[in-house]
Amino acid sequence: MVSPGCDPKGLPAAPPEGARTLVGVLVLALDTATPAVTAGVVELTTAPSDPPTVRATRIAHDARKHAELLMPGVLAACAEAGVALTDLDAIVTGTGPGPFTGLRVGMVTAAALGDALDVPVHGVCSLDAIAVEAVEAPVTGNLLVLIDARRREVYWAAYDDQARRFDGPHVETPAALAARLPELGVGATAGGAAEVHAGLLGRPVLSPAAPSPAALVAVAADVLRSGAAPEPLQPLYLRRPDAVEPGARKRVSTG
Amino acid sequence: MSAVVLGIETSCDETGIGLVRIDEAGTATLLANEVASSVDEHARFGGVVPEVASRAHLQAMVPAVRRAMRTAGVRPRDVDAVAVTAGPGLTGALLVGVAAAKAYATAWDVPLYGVNHLAAHVAVDTLQHGPLPPALALLVSGGHSSLLDVPDLAGPVTPLGATIDDAAGEAFDKVARLLGLPFPGGPHIDRVAREGDGAAIAFPRGLTGPRDAPFDFSFSGLKTAVARHVEALERAGAPVPVADVAASFQEAVVDVLTAKAVRAARERGMDTLLLGGGVAANSRLRELAQERCDAAGLRLRVPRPGLCTDNGAMVAALGAHLLVNGAEPSPLELPADSGLPVTDVLVG
Ligand SMILES: [Zn+2]
């Protein structure tokens, strides 16, 4: 069996013998809101009861190299899935919250690919994708998802046991967040910062640490199946840019 | 046979998208030059705020590419290569352009060229004045002040000197603020200085002593001298002659820039001097450079102001020259390098 590889402009090779015809959509899922540089090819059928099927995933871990690793990861995932970029029907990207520089890499990659391939790009909250996978484990009470926001803060959101977000996303110190746990009814935590602050939060830690391609597509499944036009992509920064307006002029002369 | 190159520039506060066509003979033609600037968002901070610029790049990228394609009447399948500024510049800002360029190049299945911003400032002149002979380039902007020996666009560049403190454009911004003029300061100083006397105040010419580095620049001392002058007047309760101060400051800057550039060109045996960067739009710089080039028997080339400031056409122009020269494309792992040395015209 010959893999058609991932020649972006090449004609889609004939499907391997015995391969079934797609009856849904082929989605490229990206997320760079955490140190994980995530790319995956996911198939979504039209039947609402079917979970997304992962065809290939590439995850690299380097919080400083999102831009270097993402497109190679996309191509490797396409190659493994045996699809060309031009076979994709849609793109789903995490919109954060997450450290800004890395977050933008995934979002601009998704936006530019969508434009170049003429396919829709759907944004989903990255924390929602973590939640949707975390609630596969039995949870008593609500779920808190938290990831690193640098500057000794975390991005967080709270979910019920069906992964429906009821608070957040916010950015806050872990101590301030810990004080909210009773009012949020948190029974378990998930996300990259959950393990780090497990002692402070005192709740069981569930996987995953970062959004997976299947979970990103699961969050966008309804809108993907409906064929509705995507909302404009909006990054969830949750913080204003660091900048101070200059005050009074400083004197250079002494005396 | 000709080729079309898309250029993406996001090293500072301009999201620049350019489209350039180049023929086999190496003649490059400008097809589109879309610039979305976030300069107004930075004005109240008195300088470019990196995070504000990066956010604006993300919002502007795809719409700017679409506008450029429409303006040029170019379809995606007409594009033969994508070039992008890989450095130097603001890291977060560069990354937006680099990531977008990779996505477009990969989706369209064309080569990717990660290029040097400074070399692109030189290459852009070919869009207006045709093929470039070996030249001495003076690049001056809010981010850089450099003298470069450029024997060939696609080949290695030799840096002869650069600023050791503030960039020339930065000095314009700071002095403008001192004089109560808006950001960015360059155009305002230029305008106000026309009403003033450039010889009214003898401001210092930095690094022009016999033992100073002949081709380096320093504008920090000049800026301080202007501040002291203004403060002394204010302390004495005297009115500040804004036009004279602006003109005298500007004269000090362009005097040093042009003197060093002309001297460098002669020492290197070049007969062409090229100006580039945002400050090259300064009318007094153009005027004095022309005077001194005429006196020294040098040919002066200055692109029109819209090509001097940061833009995507300059990146596309350099990419186009690299493409016709058969340069090896950059790998998909291309990083953004905020401190990319000017000797690296193309990031391999
Ligand atoms: Zn520049």
Side-chain angles (χ1 to χ4, degrees):
Chain A
M1 199 166 82
V2 181
S3 162
C6 195
D7 174 12
K9 248 190 190 168
L11 292 171
E17 252 174 83
R20 64 198 177 81
T21 321
L22 292 182
V23 290
V25 288
L26 205 51
V27 185
L28 176 69
L30 308 176
D31 190 276
T32 55
T34 74
V37 184
T38 301
V41 177
V42 179
E43 194 182 327
L44 188 70
T45 68
T46 49
S49 54
D50 286 355
T53 310
V54 180
R55 297 273 297 265
T57 296
R58 282 292 179 282
I59 300 175
H61 289 271
D62 192 331
R64 304 187 142 271
K65 291 197 170 169
H66 288 103
E68 287 162 62
L69 301 171
L70 184 59
M71 271 315 295
V74 167
L75 286 194
C78 283
E80 187 187 315
V83 301
L85 279 176
T86 47
D87 295 335
L88 297 171
D89 299 301
I91 297 170
V92 172
T93 180
T95 56
F100 311 150
T101 300
L103 175 63
R104 275 189 288 266
V105 166
M107 291 191 66
V108 81
T109 299
L113 281 175
D115 183 39
L117 300 168
D118 197 20
V119 298
V121 182
H122 299 273
V124 303
C125 172
S126 300
L127 302 178
D128 291 2
I130 294 174
V132 87
E133 200 170 328
V135 297
E136 285 170 13
V139 182
T140 314
N142 293 324
L143 173 74
L144 176 75
V145 174
L146 61 157
I147 62 172
D148 182 36
R150 309 220 172 121
R151 302 181 197 180
R152 302 180 181 198
E153 291 188 316
V154 293
Y155 293 116
W156 68 269
Y159 300 82
D160 67 14
D161 62 359
Q162 302 297 303
R164 287 176 297 220
R165 172 155 39 98
F166 65 86
D167 204 345
H170 303 291
V171 61
E172 219 166 12
T173 62
L177 175 57
R180 291 182 190 278
L181 294 189
E183 73 182 82
L184 293 169
V186 172
T189 62
E195 191 73 58
V196 180
H197 301 292
L200 177 70
L201 299 175
R203 300 289 192 284
V205 177
L206 308 174
S207 58
S212 71
L216 289 159
V217 172
V219 173
D222 287 349
V223 64
L224 284 166
R225 286 194 176 103
S226 77
E231 299 285 320
L233 281 185
Q234 275 309 334
L236 296 164
Y237 290 124
L238 307 190
R239 279 184 186 138
R240 291 180 182 284
D242 276 332
V244 280
E245 293 184 39
R249 212 172 79 213
K250 281 200 295 277
R251 297 209 159 266
V252 295
S253 326
T254 47
Chain B
M1 235 341 252
S2 70
V4 172
V5 178
L6 176 83
I8 299 180
E9 152 64 33
T10 63
S11 69
C12 192
D13 62 340
E14 324 276 6
T15 312
I17 305 295
L19 279 157
V20 163
R21 186 186 300 280
I22 192 160
D23 64 21
E24 264 171 11
T27 303
T29 316
L30 178 63
L31 302 179
N33 190 19
E34 286 293 328
V35 178
S37 178
S38 60
V39 66
D40 294 342
E41 296 174 56
H42 304 283
R44 68 195 168 101
F45 302 110
V48 173
V49 181
E51 177 61 21
V52 171
S54 301
R55 290 184 182 192
H57 289 312
L58 174 59
Q59 295 303 325
M61 180 58 61
V62 167
V65 170
R66 285 186 182 165
R67 276 201 308 278
M69 302 282 281
R70 217 170 30 237
T71 304
V74 162
R75 296 157 302 178
R77 63 173 174 278
D78 301 329
V79 177
D80 299 290
V82 175
V84 62
T85 300
L90 304 167
T91 303
L94 288 167
L95 280 169
V96 176
V98 167
K102 288 179 182 183
Y104 279 110
T106 309
W108 292 337
D109 193 22
V110 297
L112 169 74
Y113 293 101
V115 306
N116 192 297
H117 179 83
L118 297 177
H121 268 305
V122 177
V124 76
D125 187 64
T126 61
L127 297 176
Q128 194 178 340
H129 297 121
L132 185 73
L136 198 290
L138 169 65
L139 300 184
V140 272
S141 76
H144 25 267
S145 307
S146 302
L147 277 174
L148 309 175
D149 182 327
V150 188
D152 182 88
L153 276 181
V157 166
T158 308
L160 302 179
T163 182
I164 59 166
D165 39 55
D166 294 348
E170 240 180 312
F172 273 89
D173 289 339
K174 289 175 178 172
V175 168
R177 196 165 157 249
L178 208 64
L179 296 175
L181 301 170
F183 172 87
H188 296 284
I189 298 249
D190 193 356
R191 174 177 50 81
V192 171
R194 279 179 210 147
E195 311 297 318
D197 175 5
I201 308 147
F203 285 129
R205 269 65 170 161
L207 292 186
T208 49
R211 276 192 298 272
D212 288 331
F215 302 131
D216 280 342
F217 302 106
S218 167
F219 298 109
S220 169
L222 169 61
K223 174 198 68 192
T224 307
V226 175
R228 279 184 208 282
H229 184 84
V230 169
E231 284 165 20
L233 289 170
E234 284 172 345
R235 230 182 357 252
V240 176
V242 170
D244 283 350
V245 173
S248 300
F249 157 76
Q250 178 174 274
E251 198 61 26
V253 174
V254 304
D255 179 23
V256 175
L257 288 174
T258 53
K260 293 201 176 204
V262 167
R263 182 168 155 198
R266 298 176 94 165
E267 274 191 22
R268 304 290 290 195
M270 301 284 193
D271 54 18
T272 300
L273 173 65
L274 183 144
L275 300 190
V279 177
N282 181 278
S283 63
R284 180 59 188 148
L285 175 61
R286 296 168 97 109
E287 187 180 55
L288 190 59
Q290 190 65 62
E291 246 172 60
R292 289 184 169 168
C293 280
D294 289 347
L298 295 173
R299 238 192 104 215
L300 178 68
R301 290 173 55 138
V302 195
R304 64 173 181 269
L307 296 178
C308 282
T309 46
D310 290 351
N311 64 78
M314 66 191 220
V315 179
L318 179 52
H321 289 287
L322 291 166
L323 183 70
V324 294
N325 275 280
E328 189 70 25
S330 303
L332 210 49
E333 290 79 8
L334 172 74
D337 184 351
S338 62
L340 184 66
V342 67
T343 45
D344 299 358
V345 171
L346 171 65
V347 181

